[in-house]
Amino acid sequence: IKEYSAVVTVGDSAFELYTYLDDVADNYAKSINQTAEKLDGKAQVYDLVIPLSSEIMFPDNLKGKVKSSDQRQAMTSIQAKMSDKVKNVDIYDSLMEHRDEDIYFRTDHHWTALGAYYAYEDFCEAKGIEAEPLEEREQVDFDGFLGSFYNDTKDARLKAHPDTVTAYKPKDDCSMHVTASD
């Protein structure tokens, strides 16, 4: 384990450490609850808290060696603060079931499209709708991605093993336009 402030690396992977703050959770829940109150009878408000990769992907045998709050416990605390007008979507177990897949980037703080897809499946289940199968979409890979963790650490192990960004094209006949800036 190599520490860089709020980021640590283990081998060729980096992880953001998490600190649960109850006052921040209270403010978050208050905001969601106010929105649900204003939309009551007009729209259902869903709350989906996303754990960081450090909770899902960090090696179990090293968890006691870093200072990071228990995100499962934090998610449970946050969900308990929601009013009955908010429908919680708990994605923790689904992500844990898929933790041996590339559901988070190793060099960046975001989850991958695959990780987001598993959360989408849980959301669809909570909403009572059928998820669109991922297998029906064309997969496109973009190699050589070095994300925010690499920028934060400049760790040579991350640079030597960049991530692949996988995109899934929409099924419908539409186009995507990407604009890159220097």
Side-chain angles (χ1 to χ4, degrees):
I1 299 174
K2 191 170 181 183
E3 293 189 36
Y4 300 89
S5 187
V7 175
V8 298
T9 58
V10 177
D12 65 354
S13 298
F15 305 91
E16 180 179 4
L17 301 178
Y18 174 74
T19 301
Y20 176 79
L21 300 171
D22 200 52
D23 58 331
V24 174
D26 285 340
N27 287 337
Y28 171 77
K30 180 180 176 184
S31 178
I32 300 299
N33 289 335
Q34 286 174 343
T35 301
E37 185 65 38
K38 288 179 182 176
L39 294 174
D40 191 29
K42 299 174 189 164
Q44 175 65 58
V45 173
Y46 294 84
D47 178 60
L48 189 150
V49 179
I50 305 164
L52 301 175
S53 65
S54 56
E55 179 68 17
I56 305 298
M57 308 298 286
F58 197 81
D60 290 336
N61 64 328
L62 298 177
K63 281 194 175 184
K65 298 185 185 291
V66 294
K67 186 175 168 116
S68 190
S69 299
D70 182 322
Q71 293 176 54
R72 178 59 167 154
Q73 185 178 7
M75 292 170 71
T76 300
S77 296
I78 292 167
Q79 290 167 347
K81 296 174 185 295
M82 297 298 163
S83 78
D84 60 354
K85 291 178 173 48
V86 176
K87 193 163 195 173
N88 288 308
V89 180
D90 191 335
I91 65 171
Y92 187 90
D93 291 337
S94 292
L95 294 177
M96 286 300 285
E97 287 174 21
H98 295 281
R99 71 188 294 204
D100 60 337
E101 301 172 43
D102 291 329
I103 58 174
Y104 289 90
F105 290 108
R106 290 177 301 90
T107 70
D108 190 74
H109 67 281
H110 292 96
W111 58 5
T112 64
L114 183 60
Y117 179 79
Y118 292 132
Y120 159 76
E121 286 184 315
D122 287 343
F123 169 76
C124 288
E125 183 179 329
K127 189 168 174 57
I129 61 175
E130 191 172 325
E132 292 285 331
L134 193 59
E135 301 79 34
E136 293 180 7
R137 298 176 185 270
E138 181 184 347
Q139 178 179 322
V140 181
D141 292 331
F142 302 91
D143 295 324
F145 175 66
L146 292 171
S148 60
F149 292 151
Y150 174 72
N151 287 333
D152 292 344
T153 66
K154 301 297 187 207
D155 190 299
R157 296 170 301 173
L158 300 182
K159 187 175 184 178
H161 298 100
D163 283 303
T164 296
V165 176
T166 299
Y168 297 92
K169 290 186 176 181
K171 288 189 320 182
D172 300 327
D173 187 24
C174 64
S175 61
M176 292 186 345
H177 299 279
V178 178
T179 303
S181 62
D182 293 313

